[in-house]
Amino acid sequence: MTNKKRLLTGDRPTGKLHLGHYVGSLKNRIALQHKYEAFFIIADLHVLTTKNKPEDITEIDKNARQLVLDSIASGIDPETATFYLQSGIPEIHEMYTLFQSLVTVARLERMPSLKDMARAANIEMPFGLLGYPILQAADILCVRGEMVPVGRDNIAHVEVTREIARRFNHLYGETLPIPEGMVGEVPILVGTDGQAKMSKSLNNAIFLSDSPKEVEKKVRKMYTDPKRVSADIPGTVEGNPVFIYHNAFNPNKAEVEDLKERYQAGKVGDVEVKDKLTTAINNLLEPIHERREKYEAPGLVEDIILRGTQRAREETKQTLYAMKKAMGLSGVWNRIQRKAEKHHKKQAKQDD
Ligand code: TRP
């Protein structure tokens, strides 16, 4: 057994991963995965909080597969990481129920992230969405996660998790670890269209699985300095998506500096700047595609999810058992069962 601290994080399976995920979370997960014992949840029940139509649910298998495939292709080691499917561990919802009495509605109603999600999905706040952070607390605490790297929008959910764990321990005795949230330093990656965020639904994403040709096409169409109508006009580098991407993905710093200088002086065409960016991104993606191919065989990723879910379920059962024991809740059902059994035996004797 390892004495490393446990890291737990995860995603809703909503589709293929893109460069925004890579710089925003994957890179950090890859860097941390061996320092900790790494668990990654595929949070399919969380998808239902905003998308619960049958046609959304049928997508989950495929999306979960893509999520894990993209993660492994990017460098998460499937030999050491544990990927688990939330809906494959029914004890998580049991825990979720037990946690619900430890948080007030007012606390949840104040959370901007939940309102943002309802607005983005164009729905009125469902009860399940209000409970989103409580379910997330169950995801984290079920495997007794200690370190939780998340995006800025999710740090408030880790805060709720901490409150739940503290409240639980205070009421019932020390049982749960108080996990620590960890927010990355990297800013959110802009979309290829210059919009604030790269996102599948905004149609401004370069996916990790995009072919070199697709990358070239998307980069060619990228938004740059709109005032720069020809190559001899000095352009702005600051806040320019093409240069933001060069900073993020081009390891050749001298080339990037040279391009910036010439761009600001009106001495380079957009085509050259973009073609060099295409090359840089394709160089980054090449080994990712190679690893992806190795894991693409049907059933291989599913087997990784199966084994991970079995492992996480064992951990969850242990945590849940400890929780119910601390609460005195397991005793209730045991005593009722015992008394009923006694009664059955007595009746059986009388009937003899
Ligand atoms: N809320 C995360 C998201 O925005 C997904 C998630 C679900 C998660 N459970 C988690 C993240 C537990 C970290 C820990 O997609």
Side-chain angles (χ1 to χ4, degrees):
M1 277 271 72
T2 159
N3 49 15
K4 285 179 188 170
K5 276 197 175 180
R6 264 190 200 169
L7 174 144
L8 176 287
T9 186
D11 311 88
R12 281 164 290 172
T14 52
K16 301 180 285 189
L17 302 187
H18 52 60
L19 289 176
H21 296 113
Y22 185 77
V23 291
S25 60
L26 277 172
K27 248 176 121 172
N28 186 39
R29 291 177 189 183
I30 293 160
L32 294 173
Q33 64 177 335
H34 293 124
K35 192 166 166 230
Y36 297 93
E37 192 186 3
F39 283 77
F40 301 105
I41 185 165
I42 308 158
D44 56 341
L45 297 172
H46 271 116
V47 175
L48 306 184
T49 64
T50 55
K51 292 176 90 177
N52 60 354
K53 295 194 196 72
E55 60 267 31
D56 301 323
I57 297 168
T58 50
E59 295 288 299
I60 290 177
D61 288 31
K62 195 184 80 215
N63 289 342
R65 175 180 165 80
Q66 291 302 330
L67 173 61
V68 175
L69 200 49
D70 278 334
S71 303
I72 294 173
S74 301
I76 299 286
D77 180 357
E79 294 299 321
T80 53
T82 300
F83 288 97
Y84 63 106
L85 183 73
Q86 192 180 32
S87 69
I89 306 184
E91 290 78 9
I92 291 180
H93 348 342
E94 216 177 320
M95 232 176 241
Y96 174 45
T97 302
L98 301 179
F99 287 154
Q100 285 172 5
S101 309
L102 304 174
V103 193
T104 66
V105 171
R107 171 75 175 94
L108 298 167
E109 278 176 344
R110 280 198 301 269
M111 302 191 70
S113 55
L114 306 179
K115 286 183 212 153
D116 289 348
M117 278 192 267
R119 201 173 313 120
N122 209 0
I123 51 172
E124 252 191 78
M125 177 74 68
F127 186 65
L129 184 52
L130 194 65
Y132 186 113
I134 310 181
L135 182 58
Q136 190 162 344
D139 299 339
I140 296 168
L141 296 169
C142 73
V143 294
R144 303 180 299 283
E146 294 166 286
M147 190 52 82
V148 190
V150 285
R152 231 165 247 117
D153 52 338
N154 258 262
I155 197 75
H157 302 176
V158 181
E159 196 42 55
V160 170
T161 304
R162 289 164 63 82
E163 289 165 21
I164 287 174
R166 275 200 220 101
R167 184 120 191 84
F168 187 98
N169 291 347
H170 177 74
L171 266 178
Y172 308 117
E174 284 302 316
T175 312
L176 301 169
I178 313 296
E180 242 173 87
M182 187 184 196
V183 201
E185 299 295 308
V186 271
I188 288 166
L189 190 69
V190 296
T192 53
D193 57 356
Q195 289 217 52
K197 191 176 176 177
M198 181 178 281
S199 132
K200 188 177 86 156
S201 55
L202 294 175
N203 223 342
N204 63 7
I206 295 175
F207 295 101
L208 299 180
S209 47
D210 278 350
S211 69
K213 271 265 155 281
E214 281 167 308
V215 172
E216 182 181 349
K217 232 172 74 191
K218 288 180 180 179
V219 171
R220 281 277 170 102
K221 280 202 287 206
M222 268 184 80
Y223 179 89
T224 56
D225 181 348
K227 292 194 289 295
R228 197 167 178 263
V229 287
S230 70
D232 53 358
I233 299 176
T236 308
V237 162
E238 206 51 40
N240 185 330
V242 175
F243 284 100
I244 293 176
Y245 285 19
H246 263 295
N247 286 337
F249 305 114
N250 190 344
N252 185 345
K253 296 299 163 211
E255 178 176 281
V256 176
E257 281 319 305
D258 170 61
L259 288 174
K260 283 181 183 169
E261 264 169 40
R262 289 197 283 137
Y263 195 81
Q264 284 165 327
K267 291 206 169 96
V268 64
D270 273 18
V271 174
E272 185 184 340
V273 179
K274 288 182 166 179
D275 283 354
K276 290 194 162 135
L277 177 60
T278 298
T279 304
I281 294 175
N282 282 334
N283 285 344
L284 170 78
L285 296 183
E286 195 180 280
I288 297 181
H289 291 174
E290 276 169 17
R291 269 193 301 268
R292 199 172 208 279
E293 249 171 63
K294 278 202 347 222
Y295 284 94
E296 240 165 5
L300 196 55
V301 163
E302 287 77 5
D303 186 50
I304 290 169
I305 299 174
L306 172 76
R307 283 184 288 119
T309 304
Q310 285 168 340
R311 158 130 206 261
R313 190 171 185 191
E314 280 317 306
E315 295 288 341
T316 302
K317 283 182 177 170
Q318 286 174 23
T319 313
L320 186 63
Y321 176 79
M323 281 171 55
K324 286 185 175 175
K325 203 166 159 214
M327 294 171 80
L329 189 63
S330 49
V332 176
W333 178 231
N334 287 343
R335 286 189 293 275
I336 301 258
Q337 280 176 299
R338 243 182 289 128
K339 284 180 186 164
E341 266 162 37
K342 256 193 199 157
H343 169 75
H344 291 160
K345 277 192 194 133
K346 208 161 147 195
Q347 282 233 306
K349 249 191 205 152
Q350 278 167 6
D351 292 345
D352 278 348

